[in-house]
Amino acid sequence: QLKRLGMELDKRLMTATVKSLVDDVCDMIHIPVKAGVEEIDIAAEAIERVVDELSKVDVDTPLDHTSRLILDIQEREKSGVPFEYGQEVKWDMQGLVEGNLDDYKPPVIISYATGTRDRLDGKGCGLGMLYARLIALRLDEKGVATFSGLHVGAGCDWKTYFNKIITAKVMLVVQTQALYTSEPCNNEIREARKHGLEIIPLSFEHDGINLKTPWAGACAKYAAKDDP
């Protein structure tokens, strides 16, 4: 019944969030007979979320692309970002690159921390990548090209990101708690400052960010080198 309802809703509204919820429930209700209480509780909670989401949907008012992405982020905050979904996000971002990657020189660079949560997100996945995708797709709709680590396909040199900083004008920093424990993000921001980029922080988790010891590990390393 859930799948049938989800298919009908998907045809009428194309809401990816609800569809993903229904798919998750369909997977989880096929749990083993000897499944533990925790797994059964997870399935029950997912079903409750489906019902709750469906009750909020106004099928007479289709959602725009940005609203769908935001709804998806809100759901992934609860259900996690599985590895397979993370791959889809990367493909979305890599599809924004126009022409040859070496010749692609976007004016805007995005710095984000993945923020993988234990026992919730897949390997190498987290809400940070969804925040970055939201920014990139929204700017793409306005004709503004962007670049981030998500734009880099498998097998490409990771240093490509730093090459793009040299020709960029602006760095958008996805401000989350994970950002301030990420040494790679610290390096990206330092490099952007060195090349004179305008740095604009975009707050996504402002209520939960602890700024008492930002980048403690990276700061200690640079202090040992006497490098401000």
Side-chain angles (χ1 to χ4, degrees), residues 84-121:
E84 295 78 9
Y85 188 79
Q87 292 303 305
E88 293 180 13
V89 173
K90 292 178 181 179
W91 292 333
D92 283 347
M93 297 290 271
Q94 290 163 22
L96 297 177
V97 176
E98 299 179 356
N100 185 282
L101 181 62
D102 292 335
D103 298 329
Y104 182 63
K105 302 185 186 303
V108 177
I109 292 284
I110 301 173
S111 178
Y112 77 97
T114 303
T116 302
R117 297 165 293 176
D118 291 340
R119 304 182 65 181
L120 191 59
D121 298 322

Side-chain angles (χ1 to χ4, degrees), residues 57-186:
V57 172
D58 180 1
V59 296
D60 295 324
T61 307
L63 298 176
D64 58 39
H65 191 208
T66 301
S67 296
R68 288 196 214 111
L69 291 174
I70 293 174
L71 277 175
D72 189 52
I73 289 172
Q74 292 172 341
E75 173 52 34
R76 296 296 170 183
E77 288 176 348
K78 306 171 187 175
S79 62
V81 184
F83 178 79
E84 295 78 9
Y85 188 79
Q87 292 303 305
E88 293 180 13
V89 173
K90 292 178 181 179
W91 292 333
D92 283 347
M93 297 290 271
Q94 290 163 22
L96 297 177
V97 176
E98 299 179 356
N100 185 282
L101 181 62
D102 292 335
D103 298 329
Y104 182 63
K105 302 185 186 303
V108 177
I109 292 284
I110 301 173
S111 178
Y112 77 97
T114 303
T116 302
R117 297 165 293 176
D118 291 340
R119 304 182 65 181
L120 191 59
D121 298 322
K123 182 179 180 180
C125 299
L127 292 174
M129 63 198 309
L130 304 190
Y131 300 147
R133 179 179 64 168
L134 174 63
I135 295 169
L137 292 180
R138 185 62 177 142
L139 288 177
D140 183 69
E141 291 175 359
K142 300 298 182 180
V144 179
T146 61
F147 192 80
S148 72
L150 293 169
H151 289 73
V152 182
C156 294
D157 190 340
W158 64 269
K159 294 181 180 178
T160 299
Y161 183 93
F162 291 92
N163 293 334
K164 302 303 179 187
I165 289 179
I166 298 174
T167 57
K169 304 297 181 184
V170 175
M171 171 176 278
L172 301 179
V173 178
V174 178
Q175 194 174 31
T176 61
Q177 183 66 51
L179 174 77
Y180 294 102
T181 57
S182 170
E183 187 170 330
C185 287
N186 181 280

Side-chain angles (χ1 to χ4, degrees), residues 3-19:
K3 177 169 279 189
R4 186 163 59 250
L5 183 57
M7 291 172 63
E8 177 62 25
L9 181 66
D10 194 44
K11 286 189 290 185
R12 297 173 67 185
L13 186 63
M14 293 300 288
T15 305
T17 302
V18 175
K19 184 177 184 300

Side-chain angles (χ1 to χ4, degrees), residues 46-57:
I47 292 173
E48 290 178 4
R49 290 205 307 270
V50 171
V51 174
D52 183 57
E53 283 294 331
L54 293 177
S55 68
K56 299 175 184 177
V57 172

Side-chain angles (χ1 to χ4, degrees), residues 189-202:
I189 295 171
R190 288 169 61 88
E191 193 70 12
R193 290 183 61 190
K194 185 170 74 174
H195 289 281
L197 274 66
E198 179 180 0
I199 299 176
I200 303 175
L202 301 177

